[in-house]
């Protein structure tokens, strides 16, 4: 990835990596379609730019959670197939339909409303009926009720039955047998749906399922985390042929000498154990560097790892540069990403915080500019 000008906090996002990750997923999917999940501002990476890269990489659908996200995408992608996956209020439904997005339904009452609002807007909405095979969130649990709704939507000429779908709860846990239970339930229903409605798009897989079991691919997979080059199994994206697209960078704004016992940050949570140099990086939890990294995280400066010391504050963090670091103010610093021969993976940061890579990139704050670049790959 090329070096951007040094600035206080920037998320450098490589659209080339997103494109290559999508091409890798398309390859994995064989003949099934790839739906690129770009909700939550493309998991913090920038929805529009990542959608563009995903389509270039072979994705044929885009998915979001909220109507406002569909509206935003539609402005840039007048011809893309967009699926809004989340629950919608009546006002949100109007916005989603106004953006010509497909919508999800799992209750007849809502499906009827979709037909009514579509008629009022002069359109025939495309509906994806959701089967809750075990996630226990949105969707209908009873397969017979799902089939009933599928037939009901298909019979209503104000509606277009576009899809039948589910979502896995444990695809990222290789030891969990629950994934196979959900897959079995969905496969049984999918067979019946396909028998009666051969053109309907049946879809279930997220990134983990896509990489874990081809039987989950059906007609389309909805992949998010893997398209950003993050590991759906929380370990090493490179081992799965994925390239992390995002780097979170800052710089050393100042360095200062700390005599033994001098403290850094709120609450004096760190004191220099010996004489040392401390670097101040102007990035903090207001940018998405979580306070849980207090005395725990690391930053790369000059290609070397240095520990974050003292309390992470809203706008600044401090790193222990050691006794003779030679680090000069102005040196670039990396919180997530590569520098020299080393790399801090998003998964590593997530582990320290006992969370998942999704939350780390989604948590990069709006005040951090996203700088989109496009590398040619290796
Ligand atoms: C319904 C649904 N489908 C697909 C995805 C994509 O999942 P992943 O990012 O694990 O590929 C998500 C993400 O949370 C989702 O909520």
């Amino acid at each position: 990835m090329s070096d951007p000008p040094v600035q206080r906090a920037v998320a450098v996002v490589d659209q080339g990596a997103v494109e290559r990750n999508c091409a890798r997923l398309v390859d994995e999917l064989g003949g099934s379609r790839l739906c690129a999940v770009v909700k939550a501002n493309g998991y913090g990476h920038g929805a529009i730019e990542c959608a563009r890269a995903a389509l270039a990489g072979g994705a044929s659908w885009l998915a979001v959670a909220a109507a406002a996200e569909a509206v935003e995408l539609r402005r840039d992608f007048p011809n893309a197939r967009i699926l809004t996956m989340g629950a919608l209020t009546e006002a949100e439904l109007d916005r989603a339909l106004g953006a010509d997005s497909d919508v999800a339904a799992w209750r007849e009452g809502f499906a009827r409303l979709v037909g009514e609002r579509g008629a009022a807007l002069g359109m025939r909405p495309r509906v994806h009926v959701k089967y809750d095979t075990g996630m226990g969130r949105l969707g209908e649990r009873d397969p017979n009720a799902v089939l009933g709704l599928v037939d009901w939507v298909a019979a209503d000429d104000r509606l277009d039955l576009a899809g039948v779908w589910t979502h896995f709860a444990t695809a990222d846990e290789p030891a969990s047998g629950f994934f196979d239970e959900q897959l079995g339930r969905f496969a049984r229903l999918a067979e019946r749906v396909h028998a009666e409605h051969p053109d309907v798009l049946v879809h279930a897989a997220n990134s983990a399922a896509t990489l874990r079991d081809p039987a989950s691919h059906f007609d389309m997979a909805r992949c998010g985390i893997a398209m950003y080059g993050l590991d759906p199994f929380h370990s090493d994206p490179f081992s799965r042929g994925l390239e992390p697209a995002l780097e979170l960078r800052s710089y050393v704004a100042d360095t200062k000498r700390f005599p033994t016992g001098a403290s850094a940050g709120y609450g004096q949570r760190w004191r220099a154990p010996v004489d040392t140099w401390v670097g101040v990086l102007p990035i903090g939890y207001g940018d998405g560097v979580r306070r849980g990294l207090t005395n725990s995280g690391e930053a790369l400066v000059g290609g070397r790892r240095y520990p974050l010391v003292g309390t992470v504050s809203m706008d600044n963090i401090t790193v222990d540069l050691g006794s003779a670091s030679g680090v000069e103010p102005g040196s670039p610093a990396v919180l997530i990403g590569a520098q020299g021969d080393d790399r801090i993976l998003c998964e590593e940061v997530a582990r320290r915080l006992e969370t998942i890579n999704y939350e780390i990139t989604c948590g990069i704050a709006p005040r951090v500019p996203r700088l989109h670049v496009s590398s040619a790959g290796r």
Side-chain angles (χ1 to χ4, degrees):
M1 218 182 272
S2 61
D3 275 345
V6 163
Q7 50 187 307
R8 66 170 296 277
V10 60
V12 183
V13 178
D14 182 357
Q15 288 174 263
V18 174
E19 183 177 332
R20 288 186 292 278
N21 292 327
C22 287
R24 148 100 179 84
L25 292 166
V26 166
D27 201 39
E28 185 82 27
L29 285 166
S32 305
R33 277 165 252 209
L34 173 64
C35 174
V37 179
V38 294
K39 60 192 172 128
N41 193 28
Y43 293 33
H45 292 65
I48 299 297
E49 294 83 357
C50 291
R52 186 167 292 119
L55 294 169
S60 46
W61 282 68
L62 303 172
V64 291
E69 296 176 315
V71 170
E72 188 197 353
L73 282 182
R74 183 55 78 207
R75 281 188 214 116
D76 282 70
F77 305 102
N79 302 316
R81 289 299 296 266
I82 299 175
L83 169 61
T84 302
M85 302 187 290
L88 298 167
T89 66
E90 188 169 336
E92 290 163 352
L93 173 62
D94 275 2
R95 294 194 74 195
L97 295 180
D100 197 23
S101 161
D102 291 30
V103 296
W106 50 93
R107 299 268 175 260
E108 192 181 306
F110 183 74
R112 185 174 290 117
L113 178 67
V114 175
E116 286 165 11
R117 297 311 305 153
L121 294 166
M123 64 184 298
R124 188 156 173 257
R126 294 175 300 275
V127 172
H128 296 237
V129 174
K130 187 159 195 189
Y131 178 19
D132 177 9
T133 53
M135 176 61 110
R137 303 188 315 199
L138 306 177
E140 166 58 53
R141 266 184 205 276
D142 174 359
N144 291 319
V146 174
L147 288 170
L149 184 57
V150 164
D151 289 340
W152 189 92
V153 171
D156 188 330
D157 56 17
R158 292 172 311 173
L159 295 173
D160 185 356
L161 175 67
V164 176
W165 64 302
T166 194
H167 191 42
F168 294 112
T170 61
D172 61 333
E173 296 171 27
S176 159
F178 190 59
F179 171 78
D180 296 313
E181 264 180 59
Q182 280 195 270
L183 181 55
R185 272 180 213 137
F186 189 67
R188 283 190 289 282
L189 183 114
E191 203 178 314
R192 294 176 65 182
V193 169
H194 268 155
E196 283 180 44
H197 309 283
D199 296 336
V200 165
L201 208 61
V202 162
H203 49 106
N206 56 2
S207 298
T210 298
L211 298 179
R212 168 182 177 154
D213 190 346
S216 71
H217 294 174
F218 297 98
D219 301 323
M220 179 167 86
R222 306 180 309 272
C223 297
I225 200 77
M227 69 175 265
Y228 304 106
L230 300 172
D231 183 11
F233 302 98
H234 318 293
S235 152
D236 174 15
F238 291 99
S239 71
R240 308 188 203 281
L242 300 170
E243 282 178 64
L246 180 144
E247 296 197 345
L248 181 61
R249 300 184 185 184
S250 178
Y251 78 106
V252 179
D254 197 15
T255 59
K256 56 177 67 163
R257 187 115 184 90
F258 269 48
T260 304
S263 67
Y266 288 115
Q268 297 191 292
R269 289 198 171 81
W270 179 81
R271 286 175 189 279
V274 292
D275 285 9
T276 190
W277 284 87
V278 166
V280 185
L281 280 51
I283 185 170
Y285 65 77
D287 303 288
V289 177
R290 296 254 300 270
R291 199 166 176 275
L293 292 174
T294 293
N295 288 329
S296 160
E298 289 179 322
L300 291 169
V301 181
R304 278 188 53 193
R305 280 176 188 247
Y306 294 100
L308 267 56
V309 293
T311 305
V312 171
S313 54
M314 191 183 294
D315 313 309
N316 293 286
I317 55 176
T318 35
V319 295
D320 184 358
L321 297 171
S323 52
S325 74
V327 171
E328 297 296 329
S331 300
V334 171
L335 280 301
I336 297 170
Q339 199 187 54
D341 295 330
D342 205 349
R343 175 183 289 275
I344 296 175
L345 285 173
C346 189
E347 289 74 9
E348 175 189 333
V349 178
R351 245 186 323 274
R352 285 183 192 279
L353 290 163
E354 296 183 11
T355 183
I356 51 176
N357 40 16
Y358 301 67
E359 200 184 19
I360 301 300
T361 58
C362 284
I364 296 174
R367 86 170 173 188
V368 176
R370 270 62 171 176
L371 178 69
H372 289 94
V373 298
S374 197
S375 77
R378 287 157 293 157

